[in-house]
Amino acid sequence: MRGTRAQTNTGRKEGVNLNKQQKQKKETTIDSYYSPNGTEGERSANNKPEIPANWIQAVEELKTQLREAEDNCEKNLKIKISHLETEALELKQENSVLKAKILQLENEAKEMKDEAKEMKEEIKRMKDDLQRNSDQKEKDDQKAKDEIQSLRTRVKQLESSDLTRQQDTIKQNKENEKIEENVKHLIHKTDDLENHSRRDNLRIIGLPEDYDKRKSLAIILEEIIQENCPEILEQEGKVEIDRIHRSLPAFNPQRTTPRNVIAKFKNNQMKEQVLQAAKKKPFRYHGNMVRITQDLSASTLKDRKPWYMIFWKARELGLQPRIKYPSKLTIFLEGKVWIFNTTEEFQAFINKRPDLNRKFEVQPQNSRESSW
């Protein structure tokens, strides 16, 4: 827009100069035509017929008007030129500003170009880094896949090995169960053999320790039989004892109960008669109550130990308890004989009978436990 304005002003200046040249040419022509000192052409024109005075006056007036018009035109032209110069100065200043801005924009464009170049280089470096990272990631992924595959293979091997071990364990457990069953059977058989070897033995419980200091245990046993069941001696005659001794090898003064006496009879029939008589009534010796039971192995006595409290309480309640070989309890209740293999079975039995359950809530007595 500013360039168009400058072209318009230049065209105006050229038009003003052209008008000035045309007017000066016209004045020269008119003045020289009417001037007495004109050129030959002008003087030859004086020889022409005389021009009327009113025409001359009109020409003068026209000249005056032309001069005034020229002056006005010149003033206007000067004013316009002044305006145009002012505008040209402003345009020049604006042009300088534009040039400065253009220079600034060029610098900024150069800086932006440099920045763009740097950004391109940075992008290239980033691409290179990304490519390297991508390659490294692919390598790592492949390595991880290989490791996972190796672990899966290892897991399968371990599972297979574990399965084999489980099968071996199951097989070994079955073999162990068989061995345990065999061991239990052998223990049971051993206990049975030991108990069989003790079939001629009786265990005397509650005999004071000081009695056998004055006389032998064999004489004491014969006196016990004579005092409590003399009919056996009348039938069988003298008591024949193979061996008789206290159960423990040495006396312990801190023990509150006397040691048991174990007697081995030569005559099994007499032993059975004494045992049956002892089951029917309690035996006494010199006023002290003694108990006579079948001699059994330590393991059988251990199995019978949980029945101690139940046995004595059942006897107090009149249930006629019996310990059957090897370690079973029988009671007589409601006109029937009940057999229990374990104390758990007996507990479940009395739990169903609240009145009976309350009666069995007692603590065992130490003296009775020791008698077993």
Side-chain angles (χ1 to χ4, degrees), residues 168-205:
D168 294 340
T169 302
I170 293 171
K171 185 178 179 180
Q172 186 64 39
N173 289 337
K174 290 181 179 179
E175 292 178 357
N176 291 340
E177 290 175 359
K178 290 181 180 179
I179 293 172
E180 288 177 0
E181 291 176 359
N182 293 332
V183 169
K184 288 180 181 178
H185 175 71
L186 291 174
I187 291 173
H188 177 72
K189 191 172 182 179
T190 303
D191 290 340
D192 188 60
L193 289 172
E194 184 178 354
N195 289 326
H196 184 72
S197 67
R198 294 171 182 260
R199 67 186 183 279
D200 296 332
N201 295 359
L202 286 180
R203 185 180 291 264
I204 304 170
I205 303 168

Side-chain angles (χ1 to χ4, degrees), residues 199-202 218 221-223 225-226 229-242 263-278 283 292 294:
R199 67 186 183 279
D200 296 332
N201 295 359
L202 286 180
L221 176 59
E222 187 172 354
E223 291 177 354
I225 296 173
Q226 180 66 39
C229 48
E231 66 275 5
I232 296 176
L233 290 176
E234 292 175 359
Q235 295 176 1
E236 301 294 336
K238 185 180 177 181
V239 178
E240 295 182 358
I241 303 297
D242 187 7
K264 182 177 178 62
F265 285 75
K266 290 182 178 180
N267 187 346
N268 182 264
Q269 186 176 357
M270 178 179 285
K271 188 267 303 183
E272 287 294 333
Q273 290 177 355
V274 173
L275 183 61
Q276 293 300 323
F283 280 17
I292 296 180
Q294 175 67 45

